[in-house]
Amino acid sequence: MSDYTPKPEHKFTFGLWTVGNIGRDPFGEPVRPRIPPTRIVQKLAELGAWGVNLHDNDLVPIDATPAERDRIVREFKQALHDHNMRLVMGTTNLFSDPAFKDGAFTSNDPKVRAYALQKSMHAIDLAVELGAEIYVFWGGREGTETDAAKDPVQALQWYRECMNFLIHYVKDQGYSLKFALEPKPNEPRGDIFLPTVGAMLAFIETLDDPSMCGVNPEVAHEHMAGLNFTHAVAQAIERNKLFHIDLNAQKLTRYDQDFRFGAEDIKGAFFLVKLLEDNGYNGPRHFDAHAYRTEDEEGVWEFAKGCMRTYLILKEKAERFNQDPEIQELLSQIRQWDVELQERMHYSRENAAWLKAHPFDRAALGAQGYHYEKLDQLTMELLLGVR
Ligand code: GCO
Ligand code: MN
Ligand code: MN
């Protein structure tokens, strides 16, 4: 029996807002009391997590006085120190306050955009003071309900201007901070700009320093758009742009359900973990999810344990997949290598001429079977625990 005990080396993290979620939803009041951030740090350390993440206002209330801020930050630092924990990622809450109801960096009101920059700079200072090296931007309110309201071309330009401002701010301060931009298709806005990982990757290349910026993809967000999350993450990995990841589970295309990692779509979760592990992803594994609204605090910690345990079980399954003789034999038949042909697919005039003249047996190509039914069934049996 394998050991599925989470350890700091696994780099599991939780946001204060995830285990701290009080179960408010659009239809109902909170069902759990707020857990103080210092207690969250202590409990997560006990459970084997590596670190925590926060929005500025998860820790410091938006209307705190400077003295209150200093006391809260001091106590939080002490808790991190006492429990050998760290702040891995920081982010700005640019969505809760009514001032942001039309967005932050893309609000039609320049005062709101400027205030969003001010708030982000303070939040970046806070995150850096607490030791974070990754800074997430989730544009929750950057969107519209009606396209009568906003010029979407102009909105993207404002978005870029603000991101560039903060890139230069970070450099100017001498901070060593990377930005991870998180796409989401909708909710809380009717539509959110830069809705998918692909859109975000394209936007990043237009920023003043693309090398400082990567993506923070979230399982639920791509699934809301009906997309294959593993493919989205693969595209980010292939460009060295996976700076952070938000793990959770989602029934396809619904609202952002934020279920415990692996609670839905086990096969999807398996291929995601396999992708991360096979490609040596070395960043944090952040669970941006929360316990079912039915749970009390005990249920919250069961939820947190479940996220990490499922990840480790799937990681072990991925190792077994990679070592399973039958699966590997089948894969080596399926993924044939042909060195000469591969070479011919690099463009040169000679190769173009060679390919144009090459006699391919089209009927034979069409007639062959790829054995994916067998491969998928073997995968399922491995996941279901019978092999
Ligand atoms: C959501 C988002 C957020 C962000 C968080 C960090 O759908 O609410 O996933 O949880 O990840 O604000 O930026
Ligand atoms: Mn998220
Ligand atoms: Mn989300």
Side-chain angles (χ1 to χ4, degrees), residues 17-18 55 89 136 138 182-184 216-221 244-248 256 258 286-289:
W17 70 95
T18 63
H55 302 86
M89 175 272 262
V136 162
W138 171 60
E182 178 177 347
K184 184 175 183 180
N216 177 33
E218 173 168 321
V219 178
H221 297 181
H244 196 269
I245 190 161
D246 279 0
L247 301 170
N248 55 19
D256 190 6
D258 284 340
H286 171 227
F287 299 105
D288 189 10

Side-chain angles (χ1 to χ4, degrees), residues 5-15 19 40-52 83-86 88 285 287 301 304-305 308:
T5 312
K7 299 194 185 71
E9 75 213 39
H10 297 127
K11 295 199 165 175
F12 292 134
T13 67
F14 291 84
V19 282
I40 291 179
V41 168
Q42 176 213 331
K43 274 305 287 187
L44 288 177
E46 263 171 51
L47 299 182
W50 180 55
V52 289
H83 301 289
N84 196 21
M85 287 283 274
R86 57 206 47 70
V88 174
R285 277 89 170 147
F287 299 105
W301 303 123
K305 280 193 274 184
M308 296 188 281

Side-chain angles (χ1 to χ4, degrees), residues 305-323:
K305 280 193 274 184
C307 286
M308 296 188 281
R309 187 172 165 84
T310 296
Y311 188 100
L312 292 175
I313 294 170
L314 292 174
K315 182 177 167 186
E316 193 214 24
K317 295 281 185 194
E319 280 157 21
R320 290 173 64 148
F321 181 101
N322 291 341
Q323 283 159 12

Side-chain angles (χ1 to χ4, degrees), residues 15 17 53-59 87-95 119-120 122-124 126-128 132 134-139 177 180 182 216 244 286:
W17 70 95
N53 308 316
L54 53 77
H55 302 86
D56 48 355
N57 305 135
D58 296 339
L59 185 66
L87 185 76
V88 174
M89 175 272 262
T91 183
T92 326
N93 184 328
L94 294 174
F95 43 88
K119 191 172 193 289
S120 298
H122 288 306
I124 287 173
L126 172 70
V128 170
I134 303 170
Y135 203 84
V136 162
F137 289 88
W138 171 60
L177 202 59
E182 178 177 347
N216 177 33
H244 196 269
H286 171 227

